[in-house]
Amino acid sequence: MDEKDFLDSNSEYPNPQERYELTRRIQRLIDQDQLYTIHDTEELEDMVSLLLEDGDSRRALRAVTHLIALAPYNGDAWFHKGLALAHLSDHVGAAFAFEKAVALNPSDVEALMHWGITLDNLGKPLQALEIYERACALSPMDDEIHFCRAISLERLERYSEAETALHTCLELNPEHPEAWYELGYCKDMLGKYEESLTCYDKHIDIDPYNANAWYNRGVVLSKLERYQESIQSYDMALAIRADFASAWYNRGNVLAAIGNLTEAIESYQQTLCLERDDVASLFNIAMAYEELDNYPEAIVYLKKCLAIEPEYADAWYGLACCYDMLNDLCSAMQCIMKAIELDDECADYWHARAEIEYAMGHIEQALASYHTSLSLDSSNVHAWYDYASMLMEIKRPEEAVVALEKVVELEPSLADLADVHFELACAYKAIGDTENTVRSLRHAFALDSTKRDLFKKVFPDLYKHRAIREALGFK
């Protein structure tokens, strides 16, 4: 949300040369400190208006200050002083001036509205809302008041109320482009993505060259998992504004989500051209290289992350995973220990530590790390599965059964569930539970018929029993 413009001049002068000469004369008068020679308040008012229309806020402020010295109860003068100060980003001074203008002219809707805008720019949206209510009571059909009210409500994260205010604004003025834009934002925040998309499209119909609107449209489309359309929207934003770093970054995120990792890296690199030390882009490039199994390059970018942000725990974790894949277990252990030092309540870090410890042959330490990981997140299916696999390898099938049953309980639709049931059958076989062995094999075969080919090799003694073979559908 941008600060609202305070002056929108549509003045027309039949003689541009005459206007230019008048402006130059006023400028010289102010620059030579000759304002004191003018005592006609109407003439001063005209001067202030002309200077504000030209965007010459500093000279306008000097002229209006002199005007107020001559006519301290002139509400219009205080209003114009507020405009000048607001243009100069002196919002505290502007708020005081607008308040004075309203005190002198309580029914001045424009002064009330600009006072509200200034309060909002000062980070006082609640006070701004009170002022807008007064303005709305005086002029309920003014679409701009409803729009400004919505902006303050957005700042307070009262999106449902802001949505209502924006609908009112658009009922009064259906061609209000900023209202369509802000309504799109509100509906996005409220999870109404299809409606948000419609609003952004309405805004783009009116203002097709707004890069921010195309960008926000891309964000909403990605939430709807319409990834190709999302990329096209980011491309439009970048065609309008090639230095739009966030658009390059989000474009990279969408490309990564659909598996176009090389293109994603290129988008993130564009972000880095604009924001060299953007840690998020560096990290995402590293993650893309990791998924491409290019672990050395991933390590390069993770180290760049850590050079900028040494306490970035996820970067230490990523580094540990890369070193683990390269079988550099000592480096992997050092990195995962650093990650845990920074955040000892992250279950994934303890899971990674357990895997590294097991690979190093530190069985008891690995068991303890698995216990910590699962105590922090008892719903982590992959941790339970890896824990069970380790328990089977170290000949502790009773505990492996418990862990594998937990996997089935937590994720009955797991893609690798056939493998889980097959390993469960192995665990039950190891503890002599034939009934559950057969039950687990039946589940495994139903999910993946290729597992039947392993039955004779893995369970030769069971295969010898005709009754078991028949129970499992073998002739």
Side-chain angles (χ1 to χ4, degrees), residues 211 237-249 270-271 273-275:
L238 291 163
I240 296 164
R241 203 172 100 206
D243 63 348
F244 199 159
S246 295
W248 284 113
Y249 177 79
Q270 289 292 333
T271 306
C273 289
L274 299 164
E275 297 178 3

Side-chain angles (χ1 to χ4, degrees), residues 197 200-201 204 212-221 229 233:
L197 193 60
Y200 284 126
D201 286 343
I204 288 167
N212 287 328
W214 285 105
Y215 170 82
N216 285 3
R217 186 176 186 272
V219 171
V220 173
L221 285 164
E229 293 173 80
S233 283

